[in-house]
Structures are given as structure tokens and as C-alpha cells.
Amino acid sequence: MVDVAEQTLADIGEFGLIAELTKRFPQGEQVLVGPGDDAALLRIRNGHVVVSTDLLVEGRHFRRNWASAADVGHRAAAQNLSDINAMGGRAHSLTVGLAAPADLPVRWALEFAEGFAEECSLLGASVVGGDVTRSSEIVVSVTVLGSLTQAPVLRSGARPGDVLALAGRQGWAAAGLAVLGRGFRSPRAVVTAYQRPEPPYDAGPAAAAAGATAMVDVSDGLLAEAGHLAAASGVAVDVTSSSLEIPEPFLAVAAAINADPASFVLTGGDDHALLATFPGDASLPDGWRVIGRVSEGEGVTVDGEAYDGPTGWTHF
Amino acid sequence: MVDVAEQTLADIGEFGLIAELTKRFPQGEQVLVGPGDDAALLRIRNGHVVVSTDLLVEGRHFRRNWASAADVGHRAAAQNLSDINAMGGRAHSLTVGLAAPADLPVRWALEFAEGFAEECSLLGASVVGGDVTRSSEIVVSVTVLGSLTQAPVLRSGARPGDVLALAGRQGWAAAGLAVLGRGFRSPRAVVTAYQRPEPPYDAGPAAAAAGATAMVDVSDGLLAEAGHLAAASGVAVDVTSSSLEIPEPFLAVAAAINADPASFVLTGGDDHALLATFPGDASLPDGWRVIGRVSEGEGVTVDGEAYDGPTGWTHF
């Protein structure tokens, strides 16, 4: 008997692939109609939905020789789940579009789906629909739907006198990517962190409940996201470098590639840490640490000075 | 002053492009938080949401020399809005992902967005978020959210004794594509139909209200979609060829390329007509016409015979 995983997408075709993928996506209780019809139907309990979309392109957001298909699945889910987290919400449902070359091994698509489903299962979220089609490079498109238990925490609510705080690992993925980009596979801890981000999914709702005034997910780098938050809020943000944790593996990577170890923390993305502001007298929830201050003005500084270097990632 | 439309995506960058696109997407009253934050926040009035995702890939779903950017925008929106229509619902909100080469003229992206927004405006639907990134070919990913005013019409509800009915233009886009594929630009009516589908957006909710037992949107060809409906419902479907309208321009195209004019109607997709089944004694809403019958058994026939030829489109 032929093992479907050993075939290519061209062998099993669109409908064969959809059938195999669908098997790997368990459906939650909110799903009234799941994959297989023209659209899915979801029960929405509290009068609103939070929605976000992200694309991942092979060679730009991931490389098949730097991350397994399951890793890419975890990452694709994580970066979308994190967008709902950054509003103070919880994701419950996702759709996935997969455009891929006809010679892609079915195994890659199945392992991708399994990694994706595993990451979603951390929040009990379901993949309720999607689309597959042919393309010359792999493009993954994810849309995530979620809910809030209180008002959303936007980028625009920071006020002078607030503290700036961070939750989750920050800089690990950037250090891992720097290592992989130079052909190394260690330190293992940073490589693994790049391959499988671990967004702090509980930190978003906890921050919202604790009165966070603004929040953003660190996908493009800490200073870049702090800049988005400052611009949206009409305030200045200063990061205190002494408050930033520089984990030991960063020193080894920085020494090996002649970089500033703090640069991973300040400009790295892809860990999907959360950056938020809280009133100066707020008590921060578990997992959050103060890393700076909000004041009147505009722009982002580090220890009161402009940062000397590229601050993050931009496409095109 | 530099006209942004004359630049490339690389010139204006990710954030410049997002700012230009966002200007072109007016927000409906359901949008509590629109584009620009980590996620959008939508008011959902009736306890549910219908959701679907589709991908379009350049060279596969469209060609820049066969359709304008505005046409591609219209088509990308139409094929997604139609998926909600095929459940008996109405779309209200969409997200759009655009992966594109860095040398893409900004003009193309802006005209795409304008065509997309114009198609959405037919239903009062809003583009509430999205993502842009770099890729080697254009990939458009759309997710659409909608609502129902009654139970969804699934693919699986057809019963022996039902009639099969069609709403909307069918075969026009396929005839147009056949013409373009051979380097011609006329008959103009079919070329235009390919470039700008006109899905029958009112026919879905009307069918649901009239008691349609099953419904599907004809994106992959009439016989192929009838086959999906028959398989999901566990019934046989027979199409009566004499009931199919063969518009005059199809005869000219068929003569020019030596094809059977009925093949456009039977196997063409991309018009986003709707195919539905109704109880035999139902009175059909405006715009619906009977084209066949449902009986016990399985599979799809034309005038009681297997169809001799390819029945539709499959990816990979």
C-alpha cells in the first residue's frame, strides 16, 4: 500500500490533500459547521470577534533547511495566536491557506498541519477551514479569530507616567537566526527558540485584566514595536538597558559573530513577546517586568539616547 | 512631488504600502477597531459568524496581461463573498493578505485595493485588516466573515425528489478565458465576464429563505460542484442539458476554437453562479431556474448519461 506521506501534492491532488489535512484538525465546541463546505459556521458567545491575518513566505519567513515542517506549523500558528494575545484576548478559531509547489512532499504538508494543530491546542483553538493551491514557493496564510473578556488593549492608550513592561522571551529567536544564518546549529537553546517560539499566551489577558493601557506583540523587534506604540499613543518611550536580561547564550553568539548581545534583545523579533504599558502605580501580573518609562514627547530612546543601529525588520 | 503610484513596493516599504491601502478601505458600523492594531475588533450581532478563506496565485488564478489590477481585486473579493452567499449568508468583513515582488508598481496594489473595495461595497462589507509581505509571485489571500438570517444551507442536504437549480451567469468566464488563452480579446462580453464576475449575491439568502435543501458556489465547474453536492448528500444528480441556456457569444467562441459550446456551461468555473437543490414542490425565488433532478443513487449524469470529458478544475 502506498504511504501518502511519501507522495507529492501532485500525486494526491487538491481534494486528497484537503482530506488528509482535515483529519489533523480537531474541531472545538464553537464549531457548528467545520471544514468541507463553502464556509465554516462558528458560534460566537459574547457579541464580538477579534480577527487578524498574517502571511509567511518560504525563504523570507522560514527556510526548510533551518526548520522542520512541524516547526513552521508551530511558528505560523504562534505568530497569529499572538496577535489576539496582544489585544488581551484568546484565539478560538483559525483558517489556513497553503500555496505550495506541486512537487512538495505530502509529508511536509502533513507535518506542517500537525505542528500547527499542536500549537493551536495550547489554547484549545480549532482550524475551521482553509484553502490549498499551487504556487512556485510556499506561502502560508493564516487568519485567526478570538474573543475578549474585557475592552481590547490597543497600541494607542499609553500615557506619560506609565511604565513600559515586557512579557516572554525576547531576543532568543534573533540569536538563533543569527546562528543558523552563519551555518551553525548551536547554542542549541537559541536555535530551538527560533524554530519554536513560545509566546506568553496567558500574559495578554492578564495584562488586560491588570489595567494595561497599551499593548503590542513584538514581531518586528522591541524598539520597532515600541516605536509603533509610541507613535499610536502620541508619547515618548525610553527603554532602560540595565533592566534587559541578556541570557548567557547570547554572549556566546555575540562573541562568535562579533555583535552586541543587547542588539538581539533590542531589535530581534519572532519570539512574540508582548510589550505593554501600565499605569505607574499598577501592580504587574506574573511574567511581566518593567523595562522602561513613558513620557511626553515622541519616539523611542534607550537610556535617554537614540539607538545607534537598525531597529528592526521591515518587508520590501 | 513624487506620485506614490509611480513607485515600487520597495520604494515605499511595508508601512507606506499599508498606509496607502488602508485609505482605500472604508469601515462599516460593525468595525469597533479597524486596520492598524494587532487585530481588528468586530461587533457580532446574532451569535455566530460564517468564515471562509481563498487564495489567488498569479499565473494560476489570474494574469496581469489578461486582467487589470482592479479586475483582480474585484475577482478576489467576489470569489470570497460568494462563499458566504453559498451558505445563504451575507458577508460583512474581510481581511486581505498580499504577498508580492518588491518591484511591483505601487499603482498595481492601489488599483487592486480599489477594485477589491468596490466589489465589497456591493454588499456593504469592509476590509478590516490584512498583511503585506514580499514574495516572488503575487499571492492574494482573502478571509471573509459573514452572517446568516436562518440556518446555513450546506452541501449535504439534497434529497431524492428535489430539483436542481442554478442562479447567475454560468460558463461566461470559461468562454472568456478560452478566448484570452488563444490571444483574442473578443467576443467582448465573455472576456469582460471573465475579468469581472458578477456573482448573484442576493440569490443565496433568497434560496435559503425559500427552503433550499443544499447549495454550493460554482467555482470549479457546474458538474464538478454538482458532484460535490451529490457526494456530500449521498444522492444522484442528473442535469437536463436542454434546460441549460447557451448564450449566443458561446457559439462564436466554440466555433472559433472547435469546442462544444455546452462545455463552457457544464465545466466552466469562475462565474460564481450558485447551484442549489429545492424540494420538488418549492416555488423558486427570482433568478433561479431548474436545470435537473435529484434521485437515489450517486454521482452526476447529463441527460442520464455519464459526461464525456473533463468535468472541471483541480489544483496540483
Side-chain angles (χ1 to χ4, degrees):
Chain A
M1 202 178 122
V2 177
D3 180 353
V4 72
E6 303 304 327
Q7 298 187 285
T8 66
L9 299 195
D11 293 328
I12 70 167
E14 176 185 1
F15 299 111
L17 177 61
I18 289 172
E20 288 296 328
L21 294 176
T22 303
K23 282 183 205 168
R24 284 155 174 90
F25 296 133
Q27 300 297 307
E29 59 80 35
Q30 81 282 16
V31 186
L32 303 175
V33 176
D37 220 295
D38 292 280
L41 176 62
L42 308 178
R43 182 187 291 117
I44 300 293
R45 288 200 187 280
N46 40 11
H48 70 267
V49 68
V50 191
V51 59
S52 179
T53 290
D54 266 335
L55 300 172
L56 286 86
V57 178
E58 180 174 15
R60 189 145 186 92
H61 298 93
F62 66 90
R63 294 184 183 219
R64 274 187 265 175
N65 56 337
W66 288 357
S68 73
D71 290 337
V72 177
H74 274 275
R75 167 172 294 286
Q79 77 175 52
N80 279 275
L81 298 169
S82 177
D83 281 323
I84 304 302
N85 198 25
M87 300 291 279
R90 301 280 284 194
H92 55 71
S93 307
L94 302 93
T95 63
V96 184
L98 175 64
D103 64 358
L104 185 77
V106 173
R107 178 182 301 285
W108 195 94
L110 300 185
E111 290 178 1
F112 165 83
E114 286 158 9
F116 195 97
E118 199 171 283
E119 188 72 23
C120 291
S121 75
L122 296 175
L123 292 176
S126 313
V127 178
V128 302
D131 191 17
V132 298
T133 191
R134 185 167 165 176
S135 60
S136 59
E137 66 197 340
I138 301 176
V139 179
V140 176
S141 166
V142 181
T143 297
V144 58
L145 282 68
S147 64
L148 301 168
T149 51
Q150 65 284 304
V153 185
L154 306 183
R155 299 178 172 199
S156 52
R159 293 163 306 190
D162 284 355
V163 295
L164 181 73
L166 183 70
R169 296 195 299 204
Q170 173 56 25
W172 291 73
L177 186 61
V179 163
L180 288 166
R182 282 158 183 85
F184 301 113
R185 295 270 166 179
S186 68
R188 190 74 203 139
V190 297
V191 170
T192 305
Y194 167 74
Q195 291 164 331
R196 299 246 176 145
E198 293 182 5
Y201 292 125
D202 292 330
T213 51
M215 187 152 54
V216 66
D217 130 82
V218 182
S219 44
D220 292 341
L222 196 158
L223 294 181
E225 302 293 356
H228 298 156
L229 192 152
S233 297
V235 296
V237 169
D238 184 56
V239 175
T240 309
S241 64
S242 62
S243 68
L244 297 172
E245 184 195 347
I246 310 285
E248 188 282 330
F250 292 20
L251 303 176
V253 177
I257 69 172
N258 193 27
D260 174 6
S263 71
F264 300 128
V265 182
L266 291 170
T267 67
D270 289 336
D271 293 297
H272 300 291
L274 291 183
L275 189 65
T277 55
F278 294 86
D281 57 358
S283 96
L284 266 53
D286 281 355
W288 286 91
R289 49 199 186 276
V290 172
I291 63 160
R293 303 264 148 206
V294 178
S295 62
E296 288 186 21
E298 60 179 350
V300 177
T301 48
V302 179
D303 302 330
E305 308 275 339
Y307 181 70
D308 184 21
T311 57
W313 179 257
T314 176
H315 295 286
F316 301 111
Chain B
M1 204 178 121
V2 177
D3 180 353
V4 72
E6 303 305 325
Q7 298 187 284
T8 67
L9 299 195
D11 293 327
I12 69 167
E14 176 185 2
F15 298 111
L17 177 60
I18 290 172
E20 288 296 327
L21 294 175
T22 303
K23 283 182 204 167
R24 283 153 175 91
F25 296 136
Q27 301 297 308
E29 60 81 34
Q30 82 281 16
V31 185
L32 302 174
V33 177
D37 219 295
D38 291 281
L41 175 61
L42 307 179
R43 182 187 292 117
I44 300 292
R45 287 198 186 281
N46 40 11
H48 70 268
V49 70
V50 191
V51 59
S52 180
T53 290
D54 266 335
L55 300 173
L56 286 87
V57 178
E58 180 173 14
R60 189 146 186 92
H61 298 93
F62 66 90
R63 294 186 183 217
R64 273 187 263 173
N65 56 336
W66 288 357
S68 72
D71 290 337
V72 177
H74 273 274
R75 166 172 295 286
Q79 78 175 52
N80 279 275
L81 298 170
S82 178
D83 282 323
I84 304 302
N85 198 25
M87 300 292 278
R90 300 279 284 195
H92 54 69
S93 307
L94 302 95
T95 63
V96 184
L98 174 65
D103 64 359
L104 185 76
V106 172
R107 177 182 302 286
W108 195 95
L110 300 186
E111 290 178 0
F112 165 83
E114 286 159 8
F116 195 97
E118 198 170 282
E119 189 72 22
C120 292
S121 74
L122 296 175
L123 293 174
S126 313
V127 177
V128 302
D131 191 17
V132 299
T133 191
R134 184 167 165 175
S135 61
S136 61
E137 66 198 340
I138 300 175
V139 178
V140 176
S141 166
V142 181
T143 296
V144 58
L145 283 70
S147 63
L148 300 168
T149 51
Q150 64 285 304
V153 184
L154 306 183
R155 299 177 173 201
S156 53
R159 293 163 307 190
D162 285 354
V163 295
L164 181 72
L166 185 70
R169 297 195 299 203
Q170 172 55 26
W172 290 73
L177 186 59
V179 163
L180 287 166
R182 283 158 183 85
F184 300 113
R185 295 267 166 180
S186 67
R188 192 73 205 142
V190 297
V191 170
T192 304
Y194 167 74
Q195 291 164 332
R196 297 250 174 138
E198 294 181 3
Y201 293 124
D202 291 330
T213 51
M215 187 152 53
V216 66
D217 130 81
V218 183
S219 44
D220 291 342
L222 195 158
L223 294 180
E225 301 294 357
H228 298 155
L229 191 153
S233 297
V235 297
V237 168
D238 184 55
V239 175
T240 309
S241 65
S242 62
S243 69
L244 299 172
E245 183 196 348
I246 310 285
E248 189 282 329
F250 291 21
L251 304 176
V253 176
I257 69 172
N258 193 27
D260 174 5
S263 70
F264 300 128
V265 181
L266 290 169
T267 68
D270 289 336
D271 294 298
H272 300 290
L274 291 182
L275 190 65
T277 55
F278 293 86
D281 58 358
S283 102
L284 267 53
D286 281 354
W288 286 91
R289 49 200 188 274
V290 171
I291 64 160
R293 304 262 149 209
V294 178
S295 62
E296 288 185 21
E298 59 178 351
V300 177
T301 49
V302 179
D303 302 329
E305 309 275 341
Y307 180 71
D308 183 21
T311 56
W313 179 257
T314 176
H315 295 285
F316 300 113

